[in-house]
Amino acid sequence: MTVEGRPAAPPLTERQEARRRRILHASAELAGRGGFDAVQMREVAEAAEVALGTLYRYFPSKIHLLVATMQDQLDRLHTTLRKRPPAGETAAERVAETLMRAFRSLQREPQLADAMVRALTFADRSVSAEVDTVSRQTTAIILDAMGLEHPTPEQLSAVRVIEHTWHSALITWLSGRASIAQVRVDIETACRLIE
């Protein structure tokens, strides 16, 4: 069962997963070129070579689609971080480096970053399961950087504050109200909560 009490969807077949990947790729491409407004469901369907009805079966709205795109981007980041773990002597240094790597990745595609962050910000209760997945992925990335498998409640609380700071830093940077240098200082400050 899902959070909303609906039965959980069965796992996707190989063909369905390939179709889903094409949809997410098309979403990221359109957002990367034109931001939030460029992601129109009809254009995504055309770019992914799927019927519009098929697209809506996978993603009931543009917000669902862009949050899923963020999930996909976080999965890729996590894979990269596992192959090349962050350097740093302390957990705080490793987490700060991890989040700055993620930030630099988003910096390379600011329109995609803006579209995904807007989707997270606009998400209502109908997207709560997907937003929760993004939060769990971010938590897992931070815990991996910390080197923790079984965090204490206090450590999880610190991780949540770090996540909130990172999300806020993204928003202020995207809106032009913070420099990358300021983002780094804020993230490093929040990461000291780990120690």
Side-chain angles (χ1 to χ4, degrees), residues 20-30 69 72 76:
R20 184 177 187 281
R21 298 235 40 90
R22 286 198 320 269
I23 292 169
L24 291 173
H25 179 75
S27 169
E29 287 284 316
L30 288 167
T69 302
D72 187 55
R76 291 171 191 235

Side-chain angles (χ1 to χ4, degrees), residues 52-101:
L52 187 58
T54 300
L55 173 59
Y56 278 108
R57 277 197 301 280
Y58 283 85
F59 305 103
S61 74
K62 172 177 172 171
I63 300 298
H64 284 85
L65 174 58
L66 284 167
V67 172
T69 302
M70 186 164 212
Q71 290 172 6
D72 187 55
Q73 296 292 314
L74 285 170
D75 280 342
R76 291 171 191 235
L77 172 66
H78 206 176
T79 299
T80 300
L81 289 166
R82 284 182 172 148
K83 289 178 185 171
R84 287 190 1 238
E89 292 185 23
T90 68
E93 289 172 354
R94 292 189 302 274
V95 172
E97 177 56 31
T98 294
L99 295 177
M100 287 311 297
R101 270 205 226 169

Side-chain angles (χ1 to χ4, degrees), residues 92 96 100 103 165-166 169 178-193:
M100 287 311 297
F103 210 89
T165 302
W166 187 66
S179 66
I180 295 298
Q182 185 60 55
V183 166
R184 176 178 282 283
V185 168
D186 292 350
I187 288 173
E188 287 174 350
T189 300
C191 288
R192 287 191 202 108
L193 290 172

Side-chain angles (χ1 to χ4, degrees), residues 121-177:
T121 305
F122 296 156
D124 61 18
R125 286 178 183 250
S126 71
V127 195
S128 63
E130 292 85 351
V131 171
D132 287 347
T133 300
V134 166
S135 180
R136 281 192 305 275
Q137 286 174 301
T138 307
T139 298
I141 289 168
I142 292 171
L143 291 175
D144 277 2
M146 291 171 69
L148 277 180
E149 286 185 40
H150 305 289
T152 66
E154 294 80 18
Q155 288 168 323
L156 283 175
S157 182
V159 168
R160 280 192 300 277
V161 171
I162 292 166
E163 286 179 42
H164 296 315
T165 302
W166 187 66
H167 186 249
S168 178
L170 273 174
I171 291 170
T172 56
W173 172 72
L174 286 166
S175 65
R177 297 188 333 258

Side-chain angles (χ1 to χ4, degrees), residues 36-49:
F36 184 84
D37 294 333
V39 181
Q40 300 298 317
M41 297 300 265
R42 184 170 304 286
E43 283 80 8
V44 172
E46 287 173 9
E49 299 178 347

